[in-house]
Amino acid sequence: MKEDRVRLALQELFGPQVGIGVTDPRSDNYLLMDSEKEAVARAVPKRLREFSAGRAAGREALSEIGFRRSAIPRSRDRTPVWPAGIVGSISHCDSLCLAAVCHIKTWRSIGLDIEGDAPLQKEAWPIILTQQEEQDLKKIPRWRRARRIKALFSIKEAVYKAQYPLTGEICDFHTLNVTIDGNRFEATFLQDVGSFQTGFVATGGFAEVDRYVVSCCMMEDR
């Protein structure tokens, strides 16, 4: 099943100390805990399903690292509030919802992203790519470029999600220049973002599974 293949890919990318959850955001079968319901009290059905699937994935991931059923409320900045001592990330596309969690002693912060198979519009490419990334793209065959851009987009989303809990700062795609080697990446900060100074390199991995792109980033505090 695709869920099993995506889970296995994430386990290989994150390593054994990170719990993984996989759910279906199209399902109506996931129930919210009381402290989670307020966040989607006025949500449309699609958003309610996505949010519920994300919390279910988060609880599944928590169970993998020894936590019993726990609420995952939403903070004022709309990010998940994990149990004390835990860091995590949630991401979804139309057909899969993923969560990853670990103890804060393992990583200070982690970021996770999944993208479906819909191509990114060419009008968005300049928004995503730095000049160096555009040059690097010319070194690969044309038929692979759209897929590589999708991977770069996903990687930058994962890095953003990893840095945000540590800095509380919003940054755009041009803040990072990404280089890829196999299924690993390095994302170099091109400007200061909180305690991450220009030149800092974030690392992680990505995988293409059943036409999904999944990316992860693991960070230590700065």
Side-chain angles (χ1 to χ4, degrees):
M1 295 176 60
K2 65 183 180 182
E3 293 86 353
D4 295 331
R5 291 188 287 272
V6 170
R7 180 190 298 276
L8 179 60
L10 287 176
Q11 289 171 338
E12 292 177 348
L13 291 172
F14 274 116
Q17 293 180 297
V18 176
I20 304 297
V22 183
T23 56
D24 186 343
R26 300 165 296 185
S27 173
D28 291 314
N29 296 331
Y30 306 116
L31 299 178
L32 294 175
M33 300 180 74
D34 288 344
S35 61
E36 299 166 341
K37 293 178 180 178
E38 183 180 355
V40 285
R42 299 176 180 84
V44 299
K46 182 176 185 294
R47 174 57 184 151
L48 176 59
R49 288 192 297 268
E50 291 170 349
F51 186 88
S52 301
R55 267 45 191 180
R59 278 187 272 282
E60 184 179 310
L62 286 167
S63 71
E64 286 201 346
I65 59 171
F67 272 73
R68 294 185 177 182
R69 181 175 172 84
S70 301
I72 309 169
R74 190 176 70 179
S75 66
R76 289 186 177 181
D77 62 5
R78 305 177 69 84
T79 57
V81 179
W82 301 101
I86 297 297
V87 296
S89 184
I90 297 173
S91 183
H92 67 81
C93 62
D94 287 342
S95 56
L96 280 181
C97 184
L98 309 177
V101 299
C102 68
H103 292 276
I104 200 168
K105 292 181 180 179
T106 303
W107 296 105
R108 185 64 181 84
S109 185
I110 59 176
L112 168 67
D113 184 72
I114 182 170
E115 301 295 331
D117 60 1
L120 293 170
Q121 295 182 348
K122 287 190 175 181
E123 291 80 2
W125 292 9
I127 299 172
I128 298 165
L129 300 175
T130 65
Q131 290 183 350
Q132 183 60 54
E133 290 165 348
E134 289 181 355
Q135 293 300 314
D136 292 342
L137 205 63
K138 295 176 181 178
K139 300 175 184 177
I140 66 175
R142 287 183 179 273
W143 62 271
R144 290 181 54 196
R145 293 178 186 175
R147 196 66 177 170
R148 175 56 60 89
I149 294 169
K150 192 64 162 292
L152 291 170
F153 176 86
S154 180
I155 288 167
K156 292 186 180 188
E157 285 286 314
V159 176
Y160 173 80
K161 290 182 179 181
Q163 69 81 30
Y164 183 81
L166 303 178
T167 68
E169 294 195 15
I170 297 172
C171 57
D172 62 26
F173 292 107
H174 286 182
T175 300
L176 302 167
N177 186 80
V178 175
T179 57
I180 291 174
D181 183 9
N183 71 337
R184 310 302 298 181
F185 70 80
E186 292 186 346
T188 303
F189 282 67
L190 302 182
Q191 63 188 57
D192 294 351
V193 180
S195 58
F196 295 99
Q197 297 182 349
T198 301
F200 174 80
V201 177
T203 60
F206 78 103
E208 298 180 358
V209 187
D210 288 4
R211 299 192 63 79
Y212 297 102
V213 178
V214 292
S215 302
C216 67
C217 178
M218 295 81 82
M219 282 186 169
E220 297 177 346
D221 206 350
R222 297 292 292 172

